[in-house]
Amino acid sequence: MFKTMPVSAMIGLFGVCFYVFLAVFAPLIAPYGETEVVGGVWLTPTAQFWLGTDNLGRDLLSRLIYGARTTLFIAAVSTVVAFIIGILLGFLAAVMRGWVDQVLSRLNDLLMSIPTLIFALVVLSVLPSELYILILVMAVLEATRVYRVSRAVAADIAVMDYVEAAKLRGEGWGWIISREILPNAASPLLAEFGLRFAFAVLFLSALSFLGLGIQPPAADWGGMVKDNKDGIVFGIGAALFPGAAIATLAISVNLVVDWLLNRTSSLKGGRGDG
Amino acid sequence: MGGPLLTMIVQRIALGVLLLFAVSLLIFAGTEILPGDVAQAILGQTATPEAIANIREQLGLDRPAPMRYLEWLGGAVQGDFGVSYSNRQEIATQIAGRLGNTLFLAAAAAAIAVPLAIILGILSVRYRNTFFDRIISIVTLTTISLPEFFSGYILMFVFAVSLQWFPSSATVYDSMTLLERLWAIALPVMTLVLVVVGHMMRMTRAAILNVLSSPYVETAELKGLSQSRIIWRHALPNAVAPIINVVALNLAYLVVGVVVIEVIFVYPGMGQYMVDHVSKRDVPVVQACGLIFASVYIILNTIADVASVLANPRLRHPR
């Protein structure tokens, strides 16, 4: 599997592993504390502060490393929740069909007809700013996309002979969904998971950038861009580092997903190009 | 224009209107059913129950929700969105100018992005699998992955701070000429173009490549026609429907994508107005902005639907 891996996917995988490593071992790697004020405001990079300091005089590199933790963790949790909701409902719709499918699909269409960010803004204007609410809002909005994909994938599988055989054997819905459909849908759903995770990172960062995501003083990449954005006009690039971190993580995940998608489509005999 | 075609288009438009109603209901319910309380939010956690009851009565929140929904929708249809909680001013008058600004920004970005994406898409098909194609592919993949606030600040850092070619904040006011306005919004427009052009270009490329794999194109190749002629005269007309679809979808995305970009460049548009009032928990303003954004999005999507039916006769007879 790894021998045939293209260079682009290798780079992507390395990038993802790098950030996960930073996130997991943040307290061991970071030279200073997450909210520790260590020097003057917006110092330029030196040997002591590799990336300089931020708008309150905190070490930017340390905040970036702790930020990896917050950003990756929340994006991952919301993506997992989105997949649990989306896959369950999507598979249910594909297996039950009839009115269950109709009701779920039309409701999903309705939710998807409002742009994600706008819907999040509307909902967050009334909900209290708590972490679990942020995760739930992100998860529900992402679940709409997961529902679509998993329903389409499961609908293809649900008409296979072996599913028919399981039904005739007298297996229940639970068995069919978890033992017949899920293993066969795993590959395309894994690629979708990567895409959704990258999207969650971007979405969370956008919300934090707008001041509606993770609340200070916790470090997260989007919020760090917001904190340091006023420095840009004075020629201080502190806001560009967290921005670059978000961008490189998103690109890395996309590179891996591209490879996964190509692999699954070539397994099905599809054309690799185009 | 036959009877069935007209019925189909009317159907799509009716569906769009129905969707708009459902969305208005969802936006109203979204701020209504959810556990947050507006009065509580305005006054803060320490408010006395009397004060909360008082403000609820003032804002008319003590009346039943269905009645308030009908009043709100009735007003919204006539362009009356009620009064803002935070500054007690008419929302409609505050929105009017901002909506114009937002649409102006989106239109300027579309005027550059759409032709650019289609030309790049055609060129990358013409020179597919060459160095040129690879470069375009890598560059667009990168721009797709960049968050708006990263590309936006990079452009600001380079063109406004280092080179000082363009202003760093996009301030516009009424007495500006068109040219001054365009100069002021140069950086936000560039950022928006970067955000959408990659996706549009890749979909254009995929749509043309899809058509190129069909037998009639092979016939054209075997007749000895040139590559350019095959792409322009044979493949492109059949790829128009998916391309129109992608363009309309991305235009819809442009109108929404402006939210973050307006905040970056402090542009006086709808997006910035909405974000400001989300943190102030000014629900009527957020509802009004949400409804307008969602409407523009749905209208553009409906146009995409109708346009692709018009451009592709095969879609007129659904199986």
Side-chain angles (χ1 to χ4, degrees):
Chain A
M1 174 173 162
F2 289 101
K3 273 183 189 159
T4 56
M5 207 167 167
V7 185
S8 61
M10 292 267 217
I11 298 172
L13 200 61
F14 174 77
V16 174
C17 291
F18 175 70
Y19 282 119
V20 169
F21 180 79
L22 285 190
V24 172
F25 297 105
L28 299 177
I29 304 169
Y32 301 94
E34 184 178 4
T35 55
E36 189 186 341
V37 176
V38 292
V41 171
W42 280 326
L43 296 177
T44 44
T46 56
Q48 195 188 358
F49 309 116
W50 286 5
L51 298 180
T53 56
D54 75 351
N55 62 324
L56 296 178
R58 295 169 296 193
D59 179 45
L60 205 60
L61 179 66
S62 306
R63 301 240 337 137
L64 207 58
I65 293 170
Y66 278 102
R69 193 169 233 205
T70 322
T71 304
L72 259 64
F73 177 71
I74 292 176
V77 171
S78 73
T79 314
V80 168
V81 175
F83 265 74
I84 294 173
I85 303 174
I87 288 183
L88 262 180
L89 294 181
F91 283 7
L92 202 66
V95 173
M96 305 275 270
R97 288 193 276 193
W99 66 269
V100 177
D101 184 20
Q102 280 299 321
V103 170
L104 285 175
S105 296
R106 292 297 82 76
L107 270 178
N108 194 58
D109 286 351
L110 178 61
L111 270 180
M112 283 182 82
S113 70
I114 305 179
T116 335
L117 182 61
I118 300 298
F119 197 75
L121 289 181
V122 169
V123 174
L124 289 174
S125 71
V126 277
L127 290 172
S129 26
E130 301 276 352
L131 193 56
Y132 74 94
I133 285 186
L134 181 69
I135 292 177
L136 274 182
V137 169
M138 285 175 58
V140 168
L141 288 174
E142 279 195 75
T144 57
R145 274 73 184 168
V146 180
Y147 170 86
R148 246 200 189 175
V149 173
S150 53
R151 182 184 163 277
V153 171
D156 278 349
I157 299 173
V159 292
M160 293 282 182
D161 288 342
Y162 55 82
V163 178
E164 196 66 22
K167 277 186 197 159
L168 291 175
R169 249 190 351 251
E171 306 287 3
W173 296 121
W175 173 283
I176 290 177
I177 285 178
S178 63
R179 302 300 287 272
E180 307 289 341
I181 294 180
L182 192 59
N184 290 297
S187 191
L189 287 179
L190 186 67
E192 182 68 15
F193 186 86
L195 273 184
R196 287 293 120 212
F197 175 71
F199 184 80
V201 169
L202 291 176
F203 191 53
L204 173 69
S205 308
L207 283 178
S208 295
F209 171 72
L210 296 175
L212 305 166
I214 293 159
Q215 300 301 320
D220 89 288
W221 292 345
M224 287 171 67
V225 177
K226 175 192 161 72
D227 289 344
N228 295 301
K229 66 178 179 185
D230 296 331
I232 297 275
V233 277
F234 305 116
I236 293 149
L240 299 179
F241 293 116
I246 299 164
T248 45
L249 176 63
I251 292 172
S252 302
V253 174
N254 276 326
L255 287 175
V256 177
V257 168
D258 255 14
W259 168 63
L260 279 179
L261 280 177
N262 271 337
R263 243 171 58 90
T264 43
S265 67
S266 63
L267 281 180
K268 282 180 188 160
R271 295 168 14 139
D273 61 306
Chain B
M1 291 284 272
L5 181 59
L6 202 64
T7 344
M8 191 149 185
I9 291 173
V10 171
Q11 265 176 7
R12 295 282 161 107
I13 294 173
L15 198 70
V17 174
L18 191 72
L19 199 58
L20 274 177
F21 269 108
V23 163
S24 75
L25 192 63
L26 192 66
I27 287 178
F28 189 82
T31 53
E32 201 61 40
I33 300 168
L34 292 172
D37 186 87
V38 178
Q40 182 96 51
I42 293 175
L43 294 174
Q45 291 295 329
T46 53
T48 58
E50 290 82 30
I52 289 178
N54 218 347
I55 206 159
R56 285 183 71 88
E57 202 190 323
Q58 242 181 53
L59 299 172
L61 288 175
D62 48 350
R63 287 178 303 133
M67 250 181 78
R68 278 183 293 127
Y69 168 69
L70 287 179
E71 280 174 17
W72 174 69
L73 188 66
V77 171
Q78 299 167 31
D80 171 20
F81 290 99
V83 178
S84 148
Y85 285 170
S86 54
N87 58 11
R88 309 270 160 184
Q89 283 182 338
E90 283 282 324
I91 296 172
T93 49
Q94 290 185 307
I95 281 183
R98 288 169 177 274
L99 182 60
N101 283 347
T102 293
L103 293 179
F104 178 65
L105 179 61
I112 298 176
V114 173
L116 186 67
I118 293 179
I119 289 172
L120 282 180
I122 292 172
L123 282 180
S124 72
V125 170
R126 175 66 186 81
Y127 300 102
R128 62 182 171 281
N129 299 329
T130 61
F131 184 66
F132 174 76
D133 183 26
R134 294 265 153 80
I135 292 288
I136 290 191
S137 163
I138 290 172
V139 169
T140 51
L141 195 70
T142 315
T143 58
I144 289 172
S145 309
L146 295 184
E148 295 100 327
F149 45 84
F150 183 52
S151 38
Y153 282 124
I154 290 232
L155 289 178
M156 192 193 279
F157 196 76
V158 174
F159 290 111
V161 181
S162 302
L163 297 174
Q164 307 208 325
W165 287 356
F166 300 107
S168 67
S169 61
T171 330
V172 290
Y173 36 86
D174 289 337
S175 58
M176 273 177 148
T177 63
L178 183 66
L179 219 62
E180 284 173 331
R181 249 170 214 268
L182 285 174
W183 186 68
I185 63 168
L187 287 181
V189 165
M190 270 199 253
T191 317
L192 270 174
V193 169
L194 273 186
V195 170
V196 291
V197 83
H199 187 233
M200 259 197 282
M201 174 262 150
R202 289 173 83 88
M203 298 298 278
T204 307
R205 180 179 183 275
I208 301 177
L209 274 183
N210 201 11
V211 177
L212 280 186
S213 64
S214 50
Y216 81 94
V217 172
E218 201 178 339
T219 311
E221 268 167 23
L222 293 176
K223 276 197 300 190
L225 297 183
S226 72
Q227 268 291 317
S228 308
R229 192 177 164 80
I230 291 173
I231 292 173
W232 282 99
R233 300 295 299 273
H234 294 247
L236 196 58
N238 265 319
V240 160
I243 293 175
I244 289 180
N245 219 331
V246 168
V247 166
L249 284 180
N250 274 287
L251 291 189
Y253 181 77
L254 264 185
V255 174
V256 179
V258 293
V259 173
V260 173
I261 285 167
E262 281 177 7
V263 174
I264 297 173
F265 293 99
V266 207
Y267 183 72
M270 285 270 294
Q272 215 207 8
Y273 184 62
M274 183 175 186
V275 171
D276 274 356
H277 288 79
V278 170
S279 29
K280 285 183 195 157
R281 302 196 174 264
D282 195 334
V283 175
V285 173
V286 176
Q287 279 176 337
C289 293
L291 188 63
I292 291 174
F293 272 123
S295 307
V296 173
Y297 191 71
I298 291 172
I299 289 170
L300 282 172
N301 274 312
T302 309
I303 291 176
D305 248 21
V306 171
S308 55
V309 169
L310 285 178
N312 187 352
R314 270 169 296 189
L315 289 179
R316 289 175 206 169
H317 306 285
R319 276 159 292 163

